[in-house]
């Protein structure tokens, strides 16, 4: 059985990444890794589903234990991918999506060069600001902090394997599946298929 693919999926906050992922995860073979973070849970967020919400001390203890595939600081908080959320699933042939910011994404690309990296960009920075305001979960100050963080992130988009502009949700989701389909057809992953074709030759 082929191993699952590790998918690095980054998008500045407000790019519609959450809605895109909800659509993608309707497809059963994908799993989104649950990260650990030291930020407060937002209303409606559930521990163990959206994130593992832990203290700074707990986070630092996990760093010492080498429990993270990667971790990064973002807007004054820690965020990290737990190895336990990734490798067992890949072994079982499940594709694992890491929804992470750019610093962490670069680390994963370096440590796991076989991963597929996708950056989701907004159609424009002004549209991004409009979406963040509409969401209404953050203060104006936090929104401006996130917009400026986003501009820095977008400038790194070219380091990813693929860029999807999320203008219309349906198109963005179909771009994602097109990427995954092409990735799976890459010759270097076709060992099982070729063996099957050659059987009884
Ligand atoms: P939010 O606070 O909006 O949930 O997430 C803020 C940023 O942290 C987003 O860009 C999100 O992709 C990123 N993030 C979430 N989990 C992780 C993680 O495990 N590692 C890293 N490096 N970034 C993460």
């Amino acid at each position: 059985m082929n191993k699952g693919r590790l998918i690095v999926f980054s998008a500045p906050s407000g790019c519609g990444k959450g809605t895109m992922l909800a659509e993608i995860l309707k497809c059963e073979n994908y799993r989104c890794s649950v990260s650990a973070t030291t930020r407060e849970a937002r209303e409606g967020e559930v521990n163990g589903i959206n994130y593992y919400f832990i203290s700074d001390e707990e986070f630092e203890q996990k760093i010492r234990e080498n429990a993270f595939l990667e971790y990064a600081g973002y807007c004054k908080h820690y965020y990290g991918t737990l190895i336990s959320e990734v490798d067992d699933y890949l072994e079982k042939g499940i594709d694992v999506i890491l929804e992470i910011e750019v610093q962490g994404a670069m680390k994963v690309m370096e440590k796991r060069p076989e991963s597929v990296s996708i950056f989701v960009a907004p159609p424009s920075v002004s549209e991004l600001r409009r979406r963040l305001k509409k969401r209404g979960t953050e203060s104006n100050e936090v929104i401006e902090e996130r917009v400026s963080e986003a501009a820095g992130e977008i400038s790194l988009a070219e380091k990813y394997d693929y860029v999807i502009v999320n203008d219309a949700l349906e198109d963005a989701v179909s771009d994602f599946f097109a990427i995954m389909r092409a990735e799976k057809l890459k010759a270097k992953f076709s060992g099982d298929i070729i063996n099957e074709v050659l059987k009884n030759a």
Side-chain angles (χ1 to χ4, degrees):
M1 186 183 62
N2 283 331
K3 275 179 71 168
R5 309 297 315 275
L6 182 59
I7 304 154
V8 176
F9 189 83
S10 300
S13 84
C15 282
K17 166 182 60 181
T19 335
M20 262 183 89
L21 280 176
E23 284 301 309
I24 292 164
L25 293 172
K26 285 183 187 163
C27 172
E28 275 182 11
N29 200 45
Y30 292 99
R31 180 181 193 276
C32 204
S33 149
V34 179
S35 295
T37 183
T38 57
R39 84 149 160 77
E40 301 260 311
R42 295 190 190 117
E43 211 181 303
E45 284 183 329
V46 179
N47 188 35
I49 294 188
N50 303 94
Y51 281 104
Y52 297 107
F53 295 100
I54 62 177
S55 65
D56 283 308
E57 292 71 29
E58 285 171 301
F59 201 102
E60 283 159 10
Q61 176 63 27
K62 287 190 186 297
I63 296 174
R64 287 193 291 275
E65 290 166 355
N66 291 320
F68 292 114
L69 174 58
E70 65 71 37
Y71 67 91
Y74 179 89
C75 291
K76 305 187 190 94
H77 294 290
Y78 279 130
Y79 292 81
T81 305
L82 294 158
I83 294 171
S84 56
E85 284 285 316
V86 176
D87 287 347
D88 291 350
Y89 297 96
L90 295 178
E91 284 302 325
K92 286 182 196 143
I94 297 169
D95 293 331
V96 177
I97 301 176
L98 307 183
E99 189 261 276
I100 61 181
E101 52 65 66
V102 291
Q103 306 166 64
M106 303 291 149
K107 288 186 210 158
V108 177
M109 290 179 210
E110 213 179 291
K111 277 192 175 169
R112 304 281 176 102
E114 74 286 5
S115 59
V116 184
S117 56
I118 302 175
F119 188 90
V120 180
S124 67
V125 171
S126 54
E127 172 61 14
L128 179 75
R129 184 180 284 109
R130 195 192 63 78
R131 288 182 191 172
L132 282 173
K133 285 193 171 155
K134 193 171 153 218
R135 185 162 86 183
T137 50
E138 268 92 15
S139 65
N140 271 346
E141 191 192 334
V142 172
I143 288 175
E144 284 314 314
E145 202 174 86
R146 286 187 173 233
V147 167
S148 101
E149 193 85 30
E153 290 188 344
I154 294 166
S155 66
L156 291 170
E158 280 177 33
K159 300 211 180 283
Y160 287 68
D161 296 323
Y162 299 94
V163 174
I164 298 176
V165 174
N166 187 5
D167 199 353
L169 175 69
E170 211 174 295
D171 294 343
V173 171
S174 101
D175 284 347
F176 174 89
F177 286 119
I179 291 168
M180 293 314 297
R181 177 110 188 97
E183 281 290 324
K184 286 186 176 154
L185 295 174
K186 274 189 171 164
K188 64 181 174 187
F189 302 119
S190 65
D192 288 355
I193 301 167
I194 295 300
N195 287 338
E196 195 58 34
V197 172
L198 287 175
K199 221 157 74 183
N200 309 322

